[in-house]
């Protein structure tokens, strides 16, 4: 029984909860952002150290299989002084190895951690610019506190918690949730849940070519998309990742996260706004996946008034950035073949201030699908959101081995709000999730609609999806709200009212009879003690 209890309590949330409490009570632990960045840096060192150790062990086993002794000094010199790993694992300097860090005396840990980071930044081109010198010595936590935290982080192993998930992103998500007082979507601090990313990836299938995220956060979209490629036995080296992130600390985190996973990437030379300083101006991408800040305010700059991104559609409202994100994404799609999947708040579906832009998007046949997702999928917000899919080629052809029909003038509407059967326990806001079967079902509905042999005029399922032609959307004033088009059944019409009322009548008779019996017993009890109540 004791062993079982230990297994139940050793989970990621418990480890992070302890770290959170240590940091909350520690002197000099800094602001929410400083606490979070300190934790994420430690987790990064832990993960990259573990990957290095795994790489060394795998190399030793490979040498043994070839009849070579990995402990032989000559073999050590030939293979381990500068080992090369095919999985993207870094050849860590000894100072940056987790085995060095975990065995450092508590009084020297802050300095040792900064030395590890410095040696990493000097030995890796990909990590250049994402490591701040003096991270730990500047904070200067007490020897007791930094030792406690390092010992807790030592428990966070992909062997225990799973290699395929975005663990750094999961830690990032946890600290957003626990310190959410300062973490709002408008500040760009938001982590897209695994199931939402998987849904987007399953639909647009970013399996090769270039993939772009204009507000990439901690890099979770990239990590989880490449995990999907790996799961399908694909080659992540065929994917070139591009991104941009406004928040400096989050940009550094994304670079560390991608480097850790061996994913080649270009996130620009700095952190900056995709609107005011587009670091990938002039580039066009095969796929775009994004979860832009919902209803972002304060994004407008007067220098944007003649921006090329708005040329064919009109200037987006300054009140929020929803349509600015749409036009930015469309601007970066390859003109003939690009596909984008991104999330926006439901308000964008019929925003009166952006009706002109929405009308042109529909008339130019850029919108392919609109999918409303269940509420409560996210941790730091409970608003309902929509998955938009833009496609530069709705005319048909071959796509990932599938033969697609001409879908010009059609938009597929889906409403998944009733898919709430998978409850999530122990979360403040995320109450439901989409499981693998639901994600596959949604993707199958979309892919079947695209494929040759499907008749868009008849492609519909009440309360779930329907293919709609542009003329009907025009009649609905260019609204993209799915409930305007999907047939909903009035379930009240299915009720047998005489039968139902007879049932309710019988229940009420029984209820009133029990109540009269209780009243009689109560009156008799008082009568028995000489205090009648009638």
């Amino acid at each position: 029984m004791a062993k079982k209890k230990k297994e139940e309590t050793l989970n990621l949330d418990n480890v992070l909860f302890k770290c959170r409490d240590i940091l909350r009570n520690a002197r000099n632990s800094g602001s929410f952002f400083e606490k979070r960045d300190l934790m994420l840096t430690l987790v990064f060192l832990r993960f990259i150290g573990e990957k290095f150790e795994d790489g060394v062990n795998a190399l030793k086993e490979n040498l043994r299989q070839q009849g070579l002794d990995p402990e032989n000094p000559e073999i050590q010199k030939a293979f381990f002084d500068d080992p090369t790993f095919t999985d993207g694992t870094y050849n860590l300097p000894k100072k940056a190895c987790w085995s060095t860090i975990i065995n450092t005396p508590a009084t020297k840990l802050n300095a040792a951690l900064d030395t590890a980071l410095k040696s990493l930044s000097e030995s890796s081109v990909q990590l250049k610019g994402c490591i701040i010198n003096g991270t730990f010595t500047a904070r200067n936590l007490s020897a007791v506190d930094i030792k406690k935290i390092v010992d807790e982080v030592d428990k966070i192993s992909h062997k225990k918690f799973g290699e395929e998930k975005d663990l750094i992103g999961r830690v990032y998500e946890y600290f957003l949730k626990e310190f959410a007082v300062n973490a709002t979507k408008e500040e760009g601090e938001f982590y897209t849940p695994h199931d939402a990313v998987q849904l987007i990836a399953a639909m647009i299938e970013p399996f090769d070519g270039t993939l772009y995220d204009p507000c990439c956060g901690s890099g979770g979209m990239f990590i989880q998309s490449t995990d999907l490629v790996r799961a399908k036995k694909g080659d992540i080296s065929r994917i070139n990742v591009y991104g941009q992130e406004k928040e400096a600390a989050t940009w550094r985190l994304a670079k560390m996260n991608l480097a850790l996973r061996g994913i080649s990437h270009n996130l620009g030379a700095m952190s900056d706004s995709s609107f005011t300083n587009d670091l990938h101006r002039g580039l066009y991408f095969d796929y775009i996946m994004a979860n832009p800040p919902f209803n972002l305010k304060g994004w407008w700059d007067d220098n944007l008034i003649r921006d090329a991104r708005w040329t064919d559609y009109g200037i987006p409202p300054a009140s929020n950035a929803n349509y600015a994100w749409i036009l930015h994404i469309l601007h970066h799609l390859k003109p003939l073949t690009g596909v984008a999947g991104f999330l926006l708040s439901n308000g964008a579906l019929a925003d009166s201030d952006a009706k002109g832009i929405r009308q042109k998007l529909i008339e130019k046949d850029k919108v392919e699908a609109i999918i409303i997702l269940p509420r409560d999928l996210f941790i730091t917000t409970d608003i309902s959101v929509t998955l938009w899919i833009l496609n530069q080629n709705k005319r048909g052809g071959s796509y990932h081995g599938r033969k697609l029909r001409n879908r010009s003038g059609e938009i597929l509407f889906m409403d998944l709000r009733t898919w709430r059967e998978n409850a999530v326990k122990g979360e403040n806001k995320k109450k439901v999730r989409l499981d693998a079967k639901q994600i596959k079902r949604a993707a199958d509905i979309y892919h079947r609609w695209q494929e040759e042999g499907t008749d868009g005029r008849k492609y519909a399922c009440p309360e779930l999806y329907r293919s709609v032609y542009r003329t009907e959307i025009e009649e609905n004033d260019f609204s993209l709200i799915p409930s305007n088009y999907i047939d909903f059944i009035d379930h009240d019409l299915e009720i047998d009212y005489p039968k139902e009322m007879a049932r309710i009548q019988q229940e009420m008779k029984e209820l009133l009879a029990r109540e009269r019996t209780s009243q009689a017993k109560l009156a008799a009890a008082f009568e028995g003690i000489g205090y009648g109540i009638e």
Side-chain angles (χ1 to χ4, degrees), residues 56-235:
V56 169
N57 291 332
L59 180 56
K60 286 181 177 180
E61 181 58 31
N62 187 36
L63 290 171
R64 290 190 188 99
Q65 290 177 3
Q66 297 178 53
L68 300 173
D69 180 8
E71 307 305 325
N72 181 292
E74 293 299 319
I75 298 296
Q76 286 270 335
K77 183 177 180 180
F79 289 94
F80 293 95
D81 283 357
D82 185 19
T84 300
F85 307 114
T86 57
D87 64 352
T89 306
Y90 278 96
N91 175 26
L92 294 188
K94 186 172 178 56
K95 295 174 182 177
C97 290
W98 188 254
S99 57
T100 300
I101 294 168
I102 195 66
N103 291 311
T104 299
T107 54
K108 298 181 179 180
L109 259 177
N110 284 313
L113 288 164
D114 277 341
T115 300
L117 291 173
K118 187 172 186 294
S119 65
L120 266 180
S121 63
E122 290 173 348
S123 64
S124 167
V125 175
Q126 286 201 338
L127 292 176
K128 186 177 181 181
C130 67
I131 292 174
I132 297 178
N133 291 332
T135 296
F136 291 92
T137 49
R139 195 84 274 129
N140 197 30
L141 293 179
S142 72
V144 172
D145 289 332
I146 191 65
K147 178 61 176 171
K148 283 181 181 177
I149 293 172
V150 168
D151 285 346
E152 287 300 321
V153 170
D154 187 54
K155 299 173 184 176
I156 305 176
S157 163
H158 69 244
K159 294 183 181 70
K160 177 67 182 176
F161 299 118
E163 188 172 11
E164 291 308 312
K165 292 187 178 179
D166 174 20
L167 278 177
I168 280 190
R170 179 67 186 86
V171 176
Y172 177 67
E173 178 187 37
Y174 179 89
F175 279 92
L176 287 185
K177 178 183 66 174
E178 292 303 321
F179 295 98
V181 63
N182 290 322
T184 68
K185 183 58 179 145
E186 288 189 5
E187 292 171 338
E189 301 299 323
F190 202 38
Y191 181 80
T192 312
H194 182 75
D195 47 358
V197 179
Q198 291 294 294
L199 178 63
I200 299 173
M203 287 190 155
I204 72 170
E205 302 174 307
F207 298 156
D208 52 25
T210 52
L211 173 62
Y212 171 61
D213 183 347
C215 42
C216 67
S218 65
M221 286 275 191
F222 300 133
I223 302 296
Q224 296 177 56
S225 297
T226 53
D227 283 349
L228 184 65
V229 173
R230 284 192 181 100
K232 292 182 175 290
K233 311 300 182 186
D235 182 1

Side-chain angles (χ1 to χ4, degrees), residues 90 126-127 222 240-242 254-256 258-259 263-267:
Y90 278 96
Q126 286 201 338
L127 292 176
F222 300 133
N240 296 310
V241 165
Y242 293 79
K255 286 178 70 70
M256 288 191 290
L258 294 168
I263 298 172
S264 178
H265 57 276
N266 181 345
L267 304 187

Side-chain angles (χ1 to χ4, degrees), residues 458-470:
K458 300 177 181 179
Y459 196 76
C461 176
E463 302 187 320
L464 185 56
Y465 63 84
R466 182 170 170 242
S467 181
V468 180
Y469 281 83
R470 185 186 305 155

